Each structure stands twice: as structure tokens, then as C-alpha cells.
Amino acid sequence: MAKSFSDIPVGLRMVLLRMRIRIRISSLSIKSIALKYAQAQNFFFLGRQYNFPVALEGALKLKEISYIHAEGYHAAEMKHGPIALIDEHTPSVVIAPLDSMYEKTMSNLQEVRARRGPIIARAFESDTRIAKVADEVIRLPETIEPIFPLLAVIPLQLLAYHIAVARGCDVDKPRNLAKSVTVE
């Protein structure tokens, strides 16, 4: 696996190829996870560094099309309030690549697990530890840290889509959303 920013162009080409394959393979798995958690009333999405915006995007998409209360947090902030709301009815979606923050992210998973919260993890294919902590794991191909969010965001959007469909929501016409935003 590449480790430097100079490897980004090659990494992007590889990601495009892998994304097509991975989406086809993961789609059924994501749909079954969505059916399992479709009736949850709240979700947390956790990510660190490059994956924090991915957590925000996952929460936003889930809110927009399924009308479930969902919040995205930087995983380091979990202990500052959100942890009090974790219970067996509140799934946490955790973006957990094998990166420089992996051990800290695993610590967050342990905190969620200690409160009996369901965990849905996005992790690298080679991660052998994550399945011991997470209830569900969506495997993603390995790449360099700055590119991983490109891989991680697609399964989150598919998860939101399948949850919304399972709840009977019209994913093509979400309520109260404008087609475009105008800034004055």
C-alpha cells in the first residue's frame, strides 16, 4: 500500500477500478445491514481526520432521505456528550481504516461496545481485528489515507438509500429539500 502524497495519482486510478468491483460485491451486504437497522430512531456516524467529513456526509444523507435523526461526530469528540446517548437501540457507523488513528478509533469502538451499542464499521479488507468488535463490517479495498474517504462515502450513501427504501420513503423526492441552493 502506498504511503505518501506523491502516490495519490496512482492511488486514484486504483480506487476507481476497485470502487466499481466493491460496490457490486457490497450492495447485497449493505442492503441486509440496512434492513436490520431500518427501524432505528437515531444513528451516530464517527470518523477521524480525513474521514470526519465522511461521517458528516453519512449522517446528512441518512437524515435527508430516511428522516432518521443522525449525527456525525469527530470520533475524538465522542466522550464529550454523544457517548451518553449510546445504547442498544442507537447504531454507530464508524469509519475505521488501518491508518495513523486506528488504535484511537478502536478505542472508540470499545466505548460503544461497552454501552451495548450496535456498531457498523467501514474497514479495510485486511483488517482482522474489526470484526471482533463490530456487529457489521463493510470491507473496502486498501488505499492511502487521503483517498480512503472516496471509498468510504459510497457505502454510507447506499446504506442511507436502502434504509430509506425499507422505511417506505420516496428517495427521489425527499420532503422539504430544495433541488438547488441559492446564495444571495
Side-chain angles (χ1 to χ4, degrees):
M1 181 170 69
K3 296 286 183 191
S4 75
F5 285 103
S6 64
D7 295 323
I8 288 177
V10 172
L12 283 172
R13 282 192 292 278
M14 293 303 294
V15 163
L16 292 174
L17 293 172
R18 290 175 169 183
M19 280 171 49
R20 289 184 192 136
I21 296 166
R22 177 51 57 200
I23 289 169
R24 288 186 191 121
I25 293 169
S26 296
S27 192
L28 289 175
S29 167
I30 293 168
K31 186 175 182 179
S32 90
I33 293 168
L35 292 172
K36 184 175 180 179
Y37 296 103
Q39 298 311 311
Q41 297 301 309
N42 301 289
F43 271 79
F44 284 116
F45 287 75
L46 304 171
R48 289 179 179 271
Q49 290 184 315
Y50 299 107
N51 295 299
F52 171 51
V54 175
L56 294 174
E57 170 68 8
L60 179 63
K61 285 297 173 241
L62 190 62
K63 280 188 250 194
E64 285 177 339
I65 64 174
S66 71
Y67 318 123
I68 293 173
H69 175 254
E71 296 294 333
Y73 285 98
H74 190 285
E77 299 297 321
M78 189 182 84
K79 291 185 180 184
H80 299 288
I83 199 164
L85 300 174
I86 293 174
D87 63 20
E88 65 273 8
H89 305 293
T90 306
S92 292
V93 179
V94 182
I95 299 100
L98 287 167
D99 62 10
S100 59
M101 294 283 111
Y102 183 76
E103 291 306 322
K104 291 179 184 269
T105 303
M106 287 299 285
S107 176
N108 291 125
L109 270 74
Q110 295 291 350
E111 293 283 347
V112 173
R113 174 61 56 228
R115 286 150 184 83
R116 298 189 339 247
I119 299 170
I120 304 167
R122 303 292 183 269
F124 282 149
E125 292 168 335
S126 64
D127 187 341
T128 58
R129 292 175 50 200
I130 198 88
K132 296 173 184 155
V133 182
D135 297 290
E136 316 290 341
V137 180
I138 296 176
R139 303 282 181 176
L140 299 170
E142 295 189 41
T143 189
I144 59 175
E145 287 184 36
I147 295 176
F148 186 76
L150 296 174
L151 290 174
V153 75
I154 294 168
L156 296 183
Q157 292 169 337
L158 287 170
L159 181 67
Y161 169 82
H162 287 300
I163 287 174
V165 169
R167 292 171 66 99
C169 300
D170 185 347
V171 295
D172 294 319
K173 295 180 185 171
R175 68 179 182 219
N176 303 325
L177 289 182
K179 286 281 185 187
S180 64
V181 177
T182 304
V183 178
E184 294 183 29

